[in-house]
Amino acid sequence: MKAALKDLRDGTPVQAEILRGRLDGDDAVLWVQGRDRDEILRRGRVRMQRVDGDWRYMEADLDNVEE
């Protein structure tokens, strides 16, 4: 379990730049890019959903980017 959580954390950008987005009611898709903890550039989509007035992370589909 600990290794699975580390793998999930390692692929997540530490700080992401929002490139564009799409809003459809209480659902949003953001196209983002940023570097993960290992300084690997990642780019992809993040799905957000508004629940009780607050935006919540639902899922992400991020890929490594060759520089």
Side-chain angles (χ1 to χ4, degrees):
M1 177 74 149
K2 193 173 187 179
L5 290 174
K6 182 185 179 308
D7 289 343
L8 180 61
R9 180 203 72 194
D10 287 348
T12 303
V14 175
Q15 186 172 30
E17 172 188 5
I18 298 172
L19 304 173
R20 62 187 170 134
R22 187 188 81 219
L23 180 63
D24 183 17
D26 288 337
D27 294 308
V29 176
L30 305 174
W31 282 264
V32 300
Q33 76 175 16
R35 296 194 179 276
D36 67 10
R37 294 180 189 278
D38 295 323
E39 291 297 313
I40 297 170
L41 184 61
R42 313 262 300 158
R43 185 180 297 145
R45 295 175 294 163
V46 175
R47 190 168 73 85
M48 306 286 288
Q49 188 171 53
R50 188 172 19 212
V51 178
D52 297 328
D54 295 322
W55 286 101
R56 303 214 177 147
Y57 167 86
M58 300 307 288
E59 65 181 325
D61 181 18
L62 302 171
D63 294 316
N64 293 347
V65 177
E66 298 295 324
E67 296 183 80

